[in-house]
Amino acid sequence: MSRIKEFNLPDLGEGLTEGEILAWLVKVGDDIELNQPIVEVETAKAAVEIPAKWAGRVQAIFHPEGSTVEVGVPIIAIDTDPNAGPIEESTTATPASELPTPSAASLAAVQVAPAEGMVEPGLIGGVAPGGRTAVLVGYGPRNAPAKRRPRKGDAPAPAQAATPVAPAPVAPAPVAPAPTPAVNGNGRVSGPVLAKPPVRKLAKDLGIDLATLTGSGPLGSITREDVQRAATAAPAAAEPLTVAAPAASAASFGADRERRIPVKGVRKLTAENMARSAFTAPHVTEFLTVDVTRAMKALDRLRDRREWRDVRVSPLLLVAKAVLLAVKRHPMVNSTWAGDEIVVKEYVNLGIAAATERGLIVPNIKDAGRLSLRELADAMTDLVQTAKSGKTSPADMSGGTLTITNVGVFGVDTGTPILPPGESAILAFGAVREQPWVHKGKVKPRLVTTLGLSFDHRIIDGELGSKFLRDIGDFLADPEAALLAWT
């Protein structure tokens, strides 16, 4: 069994098909341990550190940082027995049936040194198996003369005489001197550029002219490293001279004043989910403005308690508690549309929308309805800190049943949130502001917020949605009285 093992990019869950390599945590030659993190990969949902499947020494890294790799493609090779000495090819032939099937990446990494004066097989313009010439797609015709099969009824060719006939002498043709090959500005002999199809595609994607490169491969062929090196150096080399524009020149509105951002990772998944939800579930949004002065005072008293002094207490904590209590009173809100049936869930995986550097993510607190207020506070703190550090796992972002989005942290009063796929309700919590409010018959400054509830009208009708939102508002208006009345 080979001691060199290739580690493929695993499926990190939720049917993901690809991932972007953010950072390699090891390098070639490093000794690694079993389950040691070796690479950080960004999927469509989160950045994840992938551990090693074997202990050993890093033999090769197949993809650089920043590249997007499909699931199942080898990303690293590990020598699982580095103390066994140098890796040598076996001198004993192994039957083909017993040889392991090499991966595509390992085959692409193998380079065969061609004989002098020959073009490396597989390169465009080179000789391919069977005497054919490799072209851009497939192979050209064979160079050997064509042979015609004898037709039925053809007379057999007469036998040749036994006495050989000496061929007539032929005068040797004058040999023309070989033309001196032209050399371009980079010192490379001009002529057909030798490069494999994957290298040509990479150069095309990066906008690199292969004719301007000096190859470091066999017979001067262009390699991936040559193209990537040229792409890195291109911005500095191609920096145009600064020319003062005339003062009266008209402003340009072209590509030179536009910036294009690739849509991938979290942003790509969010866009797909939002578009699917917006055009699948019929959304209805209701709003409710609430005096939350008593709730804010209750939070202040909670912070003053000795056992809560080290706990992060925010208005979002009371909103989450209000939602969980309202779900118990209206369980139909916590459900999913499944085509010919509605699935009502007896557990609440409470999603908290979080804005991160990579985009919007919605991790959720599993079975949040079973947690005490202190446990809920700790879970929300861990959730937010993990999201900000970019370490939220795909498992923490799957299986949500109901979501809260806190748009108030941006100074926004409220919004019309879009449902996450598979959920039937999402609550937008707006900013808490001091506003004039009629309290006990007099206009006084009070702390006020606005709630926005979007729901799936296939499941939740206007009455149910209104009662659910009203109960959340009642709790925030007077938490103590709601707790006494509902529990």
Side-chain angles (χ1 to χ4, degrees), residues 254-387:
D256 58 329
R257 296 179 65 189
E258 297 174 349
R259 187 164 59 99
R260 296 179 180 270
I261 302 174
V263 179
K264 58 183 180 179
V266 174
R267 189 172 299 278
K268 181 178 181 180
L269 180 69
T270 301
E272 293 173 350
N273 287 342
M274 294 299 99
R276 184 170 69 251
S277 177
F279 294 102
T280 301
H283 283 56
V284 174
T285 305
E286 293 185 337
F287 305 97
L288 180 65
T289 303
V290 183
D291 177 4
V292 294
T293 305
R294 289 185 178 179
M296 298 303 103
K297 291 180 178 179
L299 283 180
D300 291 337
R301 294 194 299 271
L302 192 62
R303 294 187 187 102
D304 292 338
R305 296 184 66 87
R306 183 175 61 256
E307 61 270 25
W308 280 81
R309 289 175 183 172
D310 296 331
V311 181
R312 185 175 184 273
V313 179
S314 69
L316 184 60
L317 174 63
L318 287 187
V319 174
K321 188 65 177 179
V323 168
L324 294 172
L325 290 175
V327 167
K328 289 183 178 180
R329 292 168 56 82
H330 310 284
M332 193 72 173
V333 172
N334 189 49
S335 57
T336 299
W337 181 267
D340 56 351
E341 60 183 1
I342 297 174
V343 181
V344 181
K345 301 175 181 179
E346 297 180 356
Y347 56 89
V348 181
N349 292 341
L350 184 63
I352 306 294
T356 68
E357 293 181 357
R358 294 191 308 279
L360 175 70
I361 64 174
V362 188
N364 59 78
I365 301 171
K366 299 292 189 290
D367 215 355
R370 293 180 177 270
L371 302 180
S372 65
L373 187 63
R374 173 61 185 268
E375 292 171 336
L376 184 62
D378 292 338
M380 293 177 63
T381 300
D382 293 341
L383 179 146
V384 172
Q385 292 178 349
T386 303

